[in-house]
Amino acid sequence: MQRKDKVTLKVQGVSIEFPGVKALSDVDFSIETGEIRAIVGANGAGKSTLMKVLAGANPGYTGTILYNDKPVDIKTPQKAKELGIEIVYQEVDMALFPAQTVAENVMMNHLINGMKTPIVNWNKLRNEARETLERLHIQVDVNRLVGELTLAEKQMVLIARAVREKCSFLILDEPTAPLSISETKELFDIVKGLIREENIAVMFISHRLNEVMEICEKVDVMRNGQMVGQIEVTPELTSKMIVDMMLGKSFEENFPKAVTEPGEVAFEVKHLWDAGGAVCDVSLNIRKGEIVGISGLVGAGKTELCKVLFGDRKRKEGQILLHGKELSIKSPTDAVKAGMGLVPEERRKEGVLVDEPVYFNLSAASLSSYCGPAGFVNKKEELENARHYIDSLGVKTPSENQLVRYLSGGNQQKVAVGKWLSADCQVYIFDEPTKGVDVGAKHDIFQLITDIAKAGKCVLYATSETAEILAITDRTYVMYGGRVTAELKTADATEEEIMYYSTGGK
């Protein structure tokens, strides 16, 4: 039953500064329940910062926020919750308790703040959680541990928790980044149901502009901390029109890949199996100066393959060879010593140290090269290295001392790549390197990877984005169900062919 009352949320002249960075500058924005709006912009444009202001996670703002035309101060997440504002962050694992059940996670706010007695009625709690999930048409067993769920299911649990708290405004930050096509469709069905049946307003942050145009009614565009325009979603709207407004200039979407002639085979994998059954009998090779893709849908085994190669996942059988010599890789330390580097999919959890400065992150994989005989770090050399890579990679930061958590997603990814560039690896493994970054930063990352290949290094590029495979790789191996289903020369391949093998075609 749809709620009849309309609720409005307005932002007027909101600004916020972090050390050395003006993240928002005099922003105006408004939304009312029953709407679904996209907030888009290049990395660093301010969209996530604005959403965190509304969610109470950025209390240092100036300006006015109006709730039903009445001024409110949103200085804490608890205040945001009281106003019915909930946010589902991209890193869903950070907001959940993996050792607790689905029911406990859905009802967590009640367990923390709503208990009138210390005694929990577990049957009632599970029933209420189940009713909430059923209301949203979410098929997840309330007795399962959250740590056993897929990323998509974890996202559904967070949405259910938000709705359970009588949410009026739901913020989804890059919600489809880790999802398969079918999981994305399921999420969109739930979001449409929330708007239709619950009269909730949804703010949708995404770099996937085709999805934005599929589900949203209007698109609010941010650039350099300011709101620069709003676009109505019509059949005539194209992704290029949105990108041009995001960047403030006309943008060429195709990446001009440099044509190079790779050398001899340098890196080989033979009949590789992992201990968990996610990687099954995988064989591949990479020549010097070659960019080889690992393509496939979410759940195909791409990430597991990358982790097995890097020693971050146990290998059951198979060989890994570099320049004809078999490598004994049982841990990431072994992989680094062998000359391998991994830029992982979950950059904030595994790729960078968010609470350390940029300079420390850029030297983290090669710290020993800045140490003298006594083991002390030569800080001058370390800082010079950081400045070199900040400049050459185009990292937007006020200084090398800035904490990485305050950088945009694209700049965090550049730091994650730069860490390995300074280590001068022989083999670079990239797992979904453009996940959650905008089109401008994507081009920068493509250029970095192309430059790595030009230097004669081996590059393995794993992604579920078929367009990226076609744009940057020389050859690609397609995975389905943990196995390689095809090896294709990218110049002769089509998106339809890759999708055919990605879905189990033979």
Side-chain angles (χ1 to χ4, degrees):
M1 184 78 182
Q2 186 183 39
R3 296 181 317 200
K4 299 297 182 183
D5 56 314
K6 287 282 185 181
V7 183
T8 60
L9 191 64
K10 296 179 182 177
V11 167
Q12 295 179 345
V14 164
S15 302
I16 190 169
E17 291 189 34
F18 299 121
V21 179
K22 187 152 191 177
L24 295 177
S25 180
D26 201 28
V27 170
D28 292 339
F29 171 78
S30 66
I31 189 170
E32 83 172 7
T33 51
E35 288 187 277
I36 178 165
R37 299 270 283 281
I39 296 90
V40 303
N43 285 106
K47 53 194 184 298
S48 291
T49 303
L50 175 60
M51 295 301 103
K52 287 180 180 178
V53 167
L54 295 177
N58 277 336
Y61 68 88
T62 59
T64 305
I65 300 175
L66 301 170
Y67 183 88
N68 275 348
D69 295 324
K70 295 181 180 178
V72 291
D73 285 327
I74 307 180
K75 301 296 186 180
T76 66
Q78 183 58 37
K79 180 60 179 178
K81 289 178 184 296
E82 289 172 6
L83 295 171
I85 304 170
E86 296 279 349
I87 185 167
V88 177
Y89 291 107
Q90 184 178 348
E91 293 86 7
V92 293
D93 287 318
M94 308 295 284
L96 292 168
F97 299 87
Q100 305 300 316
T101 66
V102 168
E104 290 167 306
N105 274 271
V106 169
M107 304 294 291
M108 188 55 64
N109 292 330
H110 171 74
L111 288 171
I112 294 172
N113 299 312
M115 295 284 292
K116 296 179 180 178
T117 70
I119 300 171
V120 179
N121 185 330
W122 292 107
N123 283 335
K124 183 179 179 182
L125 181 133
R126 283 189 285 267
N127 286 335
E128 289 190 20
R130 190 178 293 110
E131 287 170 6
T132 303
L133 292 167
E134 288 175 353
R135 202 168 94 209
L136 300 176
H137 311 290
I138 296 173
Q139 305 297 320
V140 181
D141 184 352
V142 296
N143 296 306
R144 285 182 67 189
L145 295 179
V146 160
E148 299 172 354
L149 303 183
T150 65
L151 278 172
E153 289 171 331
K154 290 175 183 177
Q155 223 164 34
M156 306 306 180
V157 170
L158 281 177
I159 292 172
R161 181 197 292 175
V163 173
R164 173 67 179 70
E165 293 304 305
K166 297 182 175 59
C167 158
S168 295
F169 300 94
L170 179 62
I171 301 166
L172 300 177
D173 187 3
E174 292 289 349
T176 65
L179 304 187
S180 67
I181 295 171
S182 61
E183 289 169 338
T184 297
K185 182 182 182 301
E186 185 180 353
L187 173 66
F188 284 179
D189 287 342
I190 289 171
V191 169
K192 290 172 184 175
L194 285 172
I195 296 164
R196 183 177 61 252
E197 299 167 18
E198 306 282 339
N199 193 31
I200 286 175
V202 176
M203 288 164 270
F204 184 74
I205 301 174
S206 180
H207 291 300
R208 295 182 172 182
L209 299 183
N210 60 319
E211 295 176 354
V212 163
M213 293 186 291
E214 176 185 340
I215 195 172
C216 297
E217 301 159 355
K218 297 176 183 176
V219 180
D220 292 276
V221 183
M222 298 189 71
R223 184 171 69 243
N224 298 327
Q226 297 179 313
M227 194 69 73
V228 295
Q230 186 182 89
I231 308 174
E232 293 272 353
V233 176
T234 65
E236 293 75 33
L237 182 65
T238 66
S239 60
K240 188 177 185 303
M241 293 164 65
I242 300 174
V243 171
D244 287 349
M245 183 178 284
M246 283 167 53
L247 301 181
K249 60 184 178 183
S250 183
F251 177 76
E252 177 54 52
E253 294 186 49
N254 295 321
F255 178 74
K257 185 182 181 301
V259 178
T260 58
E261 187 60 40
E264 71 275 8
V265 171
F267 185 71
E268 294 178 87
V269 176
K270 297 182 178 181
H271 305 293
L272 192 69
W273 296 73
D274 77 331
V279 177
C280 307
D281 197 27
V282 170
S283 297
L284 60 86
N285 64 72
I286 311 174
R287 294 180 288 172
K288 284 185 177 180
E290 189 178 29
I291 302 173
V292 170
I294 298 293
S295 181
L297 302 177
V298 173
K302 304 183 304 297
T303 292
E304 291 82 358
L305 173 61
C306 293
K307 289 190 173 185
V308 173
L309 294 176
F310 196 64
D312 194 32
R313 188 178 176 92
K314 190 175 180 180
R315 178 176 20 149
K316 181 181 178 182
E317 292 180 34
Q319 293 176 294
I320 302 172
L321 300 96
L322 184 60
H323 302 304
K325 180 183 177 182
E326 185 171 356
L327 304 178
S328 177
I329 298 176
K330 297 179 180 178
S331 69
T333 301
D334 293 336
V336 173
K337 288 179 179 177
M340 298 171 64
L342 169 66
V343 178
E345 179 181 12
E346 298 296 330
R347 60 173 170 263
R348 287 178 65 88
K349 286 175 62 180
E350 302 171 344
V352 292
L353 301 168
V354 295
D355 290 316
E356 296 292 343
V358 171
Y359 78 81
F360 183 85
N361 275 271
L362 286 170
S363 62
S366 55
L367 201 57
S368 60
S369 62
Y370 307 108
C371 294
F376 294 107
V377 176
N378 186 323
K379 184 57 72 69
K380 181 181 178 182
E381 290 185 7
E382 187 182 20
L383 292 176
E384 286 176 355
N385 168 76
R387 294 182 192 117
H388 166 73
Y389 283 107
I390 288 169
D391 183 57
S392 63
L393 300 176
V395 179
K396 293 180 181 178
T397 176
S399 81
E400 64 272 15
N401 295 304
Q402 178 73 292
L403 295 185
V404 168
R405 73 162 52 252
Y406 295 126
L407 302 185
S408 69
N411 286 300
Q412 288 180 3
Q413 192 71 315
K414 289 179 183 179
V415 171
V417 175
K419 172 178 72 175
W420 294 112
L421 292 180
S422 62
D424 193 28
C425 301
Q426 297 300 305
V427 180
Y428 288 85
I429 303 170
F430 294 89
D431 185 12
E432 299 285 0
T434 65
K435 176 181 172 181
V437 304
D438 67 81
V439 287
K442 183 182 291 188
H443 268 228
D444 291 342
I445 291 168
F446 279 2
Q447 190 61 60
L448 287 173
I449 292 171
T450 300
D451 290 344
I452 289 170
K454 283 182 180 178
K457 310 297 185 181
C458 298
V459 176
L460 191 67
Y461 188 99
T463 181
S464 56
E465 301 288 344
T466 308
E468 293 185 14
I469 290 289
L470 294 172
I472 195 172
T473 66
D474 298 293
R475 285 184 298 122
T476 187
Y477 294 89
V478 186
M479 291 187 70
Y480 172 79
R483 296 178 180 272
V484 171
T485 54
E487 177 187 349
L488 306 171
K489 184 178 179 181
T490 307
D492 300 329
T494 64
E495 189 164 353
E496 291 76 17
E497 185 180 16
I498 293 174
M499 185 58 66
Y500 171 76
Y501 290 115
S502 295
T503 53
K506 297 180 181 178

